[in-house]
Amino acid sequence: MKVSLVVAAAGESRRFGEAKITCEILGRPLIFYTLLPFVRTGRIDEIIVATRKELFRNVRKAKAYLGNIPMKIVEGGCHREESVKKGLEKARGDIILVHDGARPNVSEALINRILDLLETKEAVVPAINPVETTLKEGSSGIERIHREQVLLVQTPQGFRREILEKAFEMAGERLSEFSDESTLLIEILGVIPDFIEGDRENLKITYRSDIEIFKNYMMGEVRSGFGYDLHRLEEGRKLYLGGELIETTYGAVAHSDGDTLLHSIIDAMLGASCLGDIGKLFPDTSLEFKGISSLYLLDRTNKLLEENGFWVLNIDSTVLLEKPLISPYIDKMKGNISGVLGIPTDRISIKGKRGEGIGAVGERKAIVAMTNVMVARAEAKYII
Ligand code: MG
């Protein structure tokens, strides 16, 4: 049985003020946190995100953090159920899970329970009772309802494909009346799903303050790291900086490609995460690293950080080089680093400084780079 996850993420977020699903938390968009628990169960075969055209790029960015899971991004509709319908049309699963794009705190346990039950049931929907006193406007004014009689319906909602397709087909023009699939099944097909106990922590981010509540669940922390590197310069050698070959006759003396800037970034990353230093990780006695591109070493370092629950938030580097000016290369360097680390270039800063003709830098005997990085560390459950 194939399982497709259809995510409704085309809402306008009017009560929130900006697009919720791409709002960043610890440097990653909200939709990343929404999708991650599903990926972590290992039981989802594909993800279909129905969202607005202008958010495609940002959703794709989130995908980069989610490993190799197949993912389609489709344009959503003007109301929720139209978006789900469009997602469903692209889904190939026998089982369809429908989830809100702005529910980032769903537990793997809830997803697993729903999928287990779908082996015998055709529709499984999580819900909770309200904790507040519950009233409704009735014909004779305000009436009290017993809390136990009220269900607050959550997602993910799980269905056998046929029943969901049938409900969407038969709803026709009435589709826009519905704000979730469970009510669609009840009112259109007369089918009552199996309601199971939902999860109070399965927040739906609606107001800005909800983000703060979610952050409290995350227990993330931010750390800083510092890196420094120096290489001797010699005439007739090549000079690599930030993965770019610099046009000059003075190059770095090194075991690897001698990319001083990347070495300082690597050391700063390792420092922030307390995972050692570049010399320990990539010893210059090892043949494996002789002449190697430091972009490869940066990639290895980044993977090590990710395995330990860290990711880079931003980088600020200064390169001390007498000649030539590095400014013409900076955009390309940022592009190289961004490509490896998967962070946008507006989180990478590289600055050039000269040595004013004095000292090792000024006399063109050395190149120096210094870097400060910030990394985020999230709880284990936020690591793929
Ligand atoms: Mg070095």
Side-chain angles (χ1 to χ4, degrees), residues 53-68:
K53 261 242 157 82
E54 66 265 31
L55 302 180
F56 276 29
R57 230 184 99 229
N58 282 317
V59 174
R60 248 179 246 128
K61 257 192 234 163
K63 183 191 185 312
Y65 302 123
L66 290 166
N68 301 322

Side-chain angles (χ1 to χ4, degrees), residues 255-258 263 288-297 300:
H255 180 71
S256 68
D257 66 358
H263 294 178
E288 189 193 346
F289 305 119
K290 192 166 165 46
I292 201 158
S293 162
S294 296
L295 284 171
Y296 169 76
L297 303 182
R300 289 261 302 251

Side-chain angles (χ1 to χ4, degrees), residues 27-74:
R28 296 194 172 183
L30 183 78
I31 187 93
F32 159 76
Y33 299 98
T34 301
L35 301 178
L36 184 62
F38 291 91
V39 176
R40 279 176 56 101
T41 63
R43 297 173 74 176
I44 307 294
D45 296 289
E46 61 168 2
I47 298 173
I48 299 105
V49 178
T51 189
R52 299 209 308 274
K53 261 242 157 82
E54 66 265 31
L55 302 180
F56 276 29
R57 230 184 99 229
N58 282 317
V59 174
R60 248 179 246 128
K61 257 192 234 163
K63 183 191 185 312
Y65 302 123
L66 290 166
N68 301 322
I69 187 134
M71 185 160 133
K72 295 172 200 158
I73 304 171
V74 300

